[in-house]
Amino acid sequence: MKRLACLSRYVSLVITLSLIHSFTLLPLNAQPLSLQQCQDYAIRHSLVIRQGELQVETARLTQRQTERAVWPTLAGSMSEALNLGRTIDPFSNGFVQKTIHSGSVGLSSNWSLFNGFRQHHQVQQQTYMRQADEAELMRQKQEVGQRVIGAYMQVLLSQQLAELAVSQRQTINRQRDRTKALIEEGQAATIQLTDWDAQLAAADYEVVSAGASLRQNSLLLQQLLNWQEAAPLTIQVIEVPEPAAPPAQPSDWIREGLRTQPMAQVAGWRLKSAQSGYAVARTSLLPAISVGGGVNTAYSSAAPRELFPIGRQLNYNLGQYVRLSVSLPVLNGLQARFQIARALIAKKTAEIDVQKVHLQLTQEIEQAVFAQTLAFEKWQSAQRQVEAQQKALLAGKARFDEGLIHVIEYATLQTNLNRALSNQLQARYEYYFRKLIADTYQN
């Protein structure tokens, strides 16, 4: 029996030492990442963010393309032809039965003078769409950052809980060693050692469970970051302060959030884009005026070479033109009216989307502040619980030393204190996490 007990203690000691080593998040020769560095890494390696960046780049190209569309067009043309058999002589415009080599060259330009400011509104619409895509990208980055905060804090909390479990096991082990010494001196019954062994086995289970939770949360953080490095991920330990005061009222946060939060900016820019789209649709009812001009010339091998060499032909056949075009929409199957109606519906839909986003953002801020408030109250309750359990354990220790209570009763008091310390630790980390999330709505 003694050998079996010694072997059990040896195995427990090995497990404890190995778990303490595994709880260390900062292995040798590893560079730990801060919370901000983890957020930056997750953003850089997020496939969703990469797609958002490509969408923004596409919007920028579309905006520049629309801006260039207001410039005049200039086009050149050149052609060479070889006609065989019966054909028209391009010099005399008569039919001939011979092989003719001919060519032409020209230059033309066109400029839209007025189209109901359609191009102006299109440029505005594309600009607003580009700004909406940029704000959407910022919103995606904010969401990734918030998820990283949660995973990062969960790893740190798991580490603290694991260390607390190891510390609690060591406390129980010291109590067991003290009881064993009393038994050897004949001052305690042997059954008490068995009770402490049972408590020690339960503590070993808590240590193993805390270690498994730590490894699982570390894996979740790696997956969230899309970790692609050969070295294992290590993070810096944050000194989480104790809550000092409950959070402020969310009214000021809501006003600031409706102005600066990416979610609200996305809805605002899309509304402006829809308004510009409605203005574009209305221009289809207005006339369009454009001016154009060009110059062209040609040559042909059918012309007498001695009288009309190529250079003289180009000058002889030179022609210029200037054109003024006016387009008046009279009747096109009421297509313009339908386009305007659809654009108006899109604008009204965007207005409702703004209201929905403002409502959603207001509720999110209220929920974030409310969650922080609850976390503060939970921490206060956990504080009182720890103080009460510490007093109960101190009184129980005195009774236990005098032999007035059983080992199980004393171990239960110790377990209650351990549970209270765990609740206190979780409440402190939860408050800090809620505070970080609420702060994202202010920045």
Side-chain angles (χ1 to χ4, degrees), residues 24 33 41 56 60 94 108 110 112 145 156 171 208 231 247 252 306 316 392 412 439:
T24 304
L33 299 183
Y41 188 95
V56 170
R60 290 173 180 169
S108 62
N110 190 71
S112 177
L156 293 183
T171 300
V208 173
D252 296 336
E306 65 278 3
Y316 181 77
T412 301
D439 288 344

Side-chain angles (χ1 to χ4, degrees), residues 135-278:
E136 176 65 22
L137 180 60
M138 292 300 299
R139 187 192 65 81
Q140 293 172 348
K141 291 181 178 180
Q142 184 185 57
E143 289 185 352
V144 171
Q146 289 178 341
R147 290 197 294 268
V148 171
I149 289 175
Y152 191 99
M153 296 302 299
Q154 194 63 42
V155 171
L156 293 183
L157 175 60
S158 298
Q159 181 192 16
Q160 293 295 319
L161 291 176
E163 293 177 354
L164 180 60
V166 172
S167 175
Q168 293 168 355
R169 185 205 180 277
Q170 292 172 344
T171 300
I172 294 175
N173 192 51
R174 286 194 297 268
Q175 293 289 345
R176 181 190 181 282
D177 291 341
R178 180 173 178 272
T179 301
K180 181 181 178 182
L182 293 175
I183 292 175
E184 292 175 351
E185 295 175 0
Q187 300 180 12
T190 306
I191 189 61
Q192 293 186 6
L193 187 61
T194 304
D195 294 333
W196 281 119
D197 286 337
Q199 295 297 321
L200 190 61
D204 287 338
Y205 176 82
E206 294 297 330
V207 170
V208 173
S209 178
S213 178
L214 173 58
R215 290 192 295 271
Q216 181 181 15
N217 289 326
S218 299
L219 177 60
L220 292 177
L221 178 60
Q222 290 185 18
Q223 293 175 341
L224 181 58
L225 267 60
N226 193 15
W227 187 253
Q228 301 176 0
E229 312 303 322
L233 172 63
T234 59
I235 63 175
Q236 294 179 0
V237 177
I238 298 177
E239 189 65 30
V240 178
E242 293 185 352
Q249 294 298 319
S251 56
D252 296 336
W253 295 9
I254 293 174
R255 285 192 296 268
E256 184 67 15
L258 295 179
R259 186 180 64 87
T260 61
Q261 281 298 300
M263 181 189 301
Q265 292 180 350
V266 169
W269 290 125
R270 286 178 178 170
L271 172 59
K272 290 181 178 294
S273 176
Q275 292 171 341
S276 296
Y278 177 68

Side-chain angles (χ1 to χ4, degrees), residues 91 101 299-313:
F91 185 77
H101 175 247
Y299 71 90
S300 171
S301 62
R305 290 292 183 89
E306 65 278 3
L307 297 177
F308 295 97
I310 292 180
R312 187 177 179 186
Q313 285 190 58

Side-chain angles (χ1 to χ4, degrees), residues 16-31:
T16 302
L17 291 177
S18 63
L19 287 174
I20 292 175
H21 177 72
S22 67
F23 294 157
T24 304
L25 294 179
L26 308 178
L28 296 177
N29 302 324
Q31 183 64 34

Side-chain angles (χ1 to χ4, degrees), residues 41-110:
Y41 188 95
I43 290 173
R44 286 196 308 270
H45 294 82
S46 171
L47 299 180
V48 176
I49 298 299
R50 290 182 185 178
Q51 287 181 330
E53 291 172 345
L54 293 177
Q55 180 66 29
V56 170
E57 186 62 28
T58 301
R60 290 173 180 169
L61 291 175
T62 304
Q63 178 188 352
R64 288 197 291 267
Q65 179 183 8
T66 307
E67 291 172 346
R68 301 302 187 272
V70 302
W71 293 3
T73 62
L74 180 64
S77 63
M78 184 178 65
S79 66
E80 292 286 337
L82 183 64
N83 298 317
L84 306 176
R86 181 178 175 82
T87 185
I88 297 178
D89 182 356
F91 185 77
S92 64
N93 286 329
F95 286 98
V96 294
Q97 187 74 27
K98 59 186 299 188
T99 299
I100 297 177
H101 175 247
S102 61
S104 64
V105 63
L107 189 67
S108 62
S109 178
N110 190 71

